[in-house]
């Protein structure tokens, strides 16, 4: 149930999820690119390389994306690394 009240007591865990084959990619361009442009740039690179995106968000610090792992991701990472700092978790 999504709403202003929770059936859980404070400190109780409501759900735990686990998924394999997923990576978090944090990308910070080396130039002063705006947050919306950073997000568009990362999305374009992932799309061009065939990397499915689960979640994508941007802030002043850069872009964070949850994506599927695999050979396509390796290609996208090489391209992102030419444009700035990349960290994969």
């Amino acid at each position: 149930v999504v709403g202003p009240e929770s059936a859980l007591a404070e400190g109780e865990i409501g759900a735990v999820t686990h998924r394999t084959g997923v990576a978090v990619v944090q990308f910070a361009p080396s130039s002063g690119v705006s947050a919306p442009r950073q997000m568009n740039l990362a999305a374009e690179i992932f799309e061009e390389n065939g990397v499915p995106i689960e979640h994508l968000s941007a802030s002043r610090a850069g872009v964070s994306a949850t994506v599927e792992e695999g050979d396509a991701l390796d290609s996208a990472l090489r391209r992102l690394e030419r444009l700035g700092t990349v960290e994969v978790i």
Side-chain angles (χ1 to χ4, degrees), residues 8-66:
L8 298 174
E10 187 174 328
E12 286 184 324
I13 297 173
V16 175
T17 186
H18 172 78
R19 203 165 148 213
T20 58
V22 176
V24 175
V25 177
Q26 296 175 327
F27 166 59
S30 52
S31 63
V33 179
S34 69
R37 180 65 187 127
Q38 289 177 25
M39 192 156 64
N40 288 339
L41 181 60
E44 288 171 9
I45 290 171
F46 289 132
E47 184 177 324
E48 288 170 2
N49 286 278
V51 178
I53 301 169
E54 300 292 325
H55 176 78
L56 185 65
S57 63
S59 69
R60 289 184 206 181
V63 174
S64 179
T66 305

